[in-house]
């Protein structure tokens, strides 16, 4: 982070933390500036099996607040929390326990 002396930092925060990632960019004037990168979003996973949930956008929490509801959930019981196979197993287990 602080090893390149040619870089012009835009913020006073100079420590190499996860929230302070930079990308070096050369301007047409020949100056070497930095662009601050956002944190990478993790893919939402099933609470039971740990596999990726299809149909749900992988976003950071503050971005998820602003996107529309269909991108956040699936129209099913436990949609957006469990995958279809995990839900099917739960339904079958509940049905078999009832009998």
């Amino acid at each position: 982070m602080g090893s390149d002396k040619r870089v012009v930092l835009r913020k006073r925060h100079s420590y190499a933390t996860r929230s302070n990632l930079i990308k070096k960019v050369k301007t047409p004037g020949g100056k070497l500036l930095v662009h601050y990168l956002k944190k990478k979003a993790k893919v939402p996973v099933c609470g039971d099996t740990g596999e990726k949930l299809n149909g749900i956008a992988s976003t950071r929490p503050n971005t998820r607040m602003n996107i529309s509801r269909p991108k956040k959930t699936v129209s099913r019981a436990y949609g957006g929390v469990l995958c279809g196979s995990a839900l099917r197993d739960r339904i079958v287990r509940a049905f078999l326990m009832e009998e």
Side-chain angles (χ1 to χ4, degrees):
M1 175 79 197
S3 62
D4 198 349
K5 301 291 181 198
R6 303 169 303 149
V7 169
V8 178
L9 295 175
R10 292 180 167 193
K11 300 177 183 174
R12 289 177 186 264
H13 182 214
S14 62
Y15 298 109
T17 59
R18 289 190 310 150
S19 62
N20 201 31
L21 294 173
I22 63 166
K23 175 185 172 188
K24 294 171 188 147
V25 178
K26 198 108 177 221
T27 62
K31 208 190 264 187
L32 196 60
L33 291 178
V34 296
H35 282 177
Y36 290 93
L37 303 174
K38 293 186 186 259
K39 287 190 200 174
K40 295 277 281 181
K42 290 207 173 128
V43 180
V45 293
C46 173
D48 283 357
T49 61
E51 59 183 84
K52 178 184 171 291
L53 292 176
N54 292 321
I56 296 163
S58 63
T59 56
R60 296 289 302 167
N62 58 346
T63 319
R64 194 176 306 125
M65 196 167 56
N66 297 327
I67 64 174
S68 62
R69 189 170 178 80
K71 292 177 185 155
K72 290 187 255 194
T73 62
V74 180
S75 56
R76 177 178 64 226
Y78 295 98
V81 180
L82 296 179
C83 63
S85 57
L87 181 63
R88 189 182 308 119
D89 291 345
R90 279 192 181 199
I91 291 169
V92 168
R93 195 181 316 127
F95 180 74
L96 292 174
M97 287 180 112
E98 198 175 276
E99 287 183 352

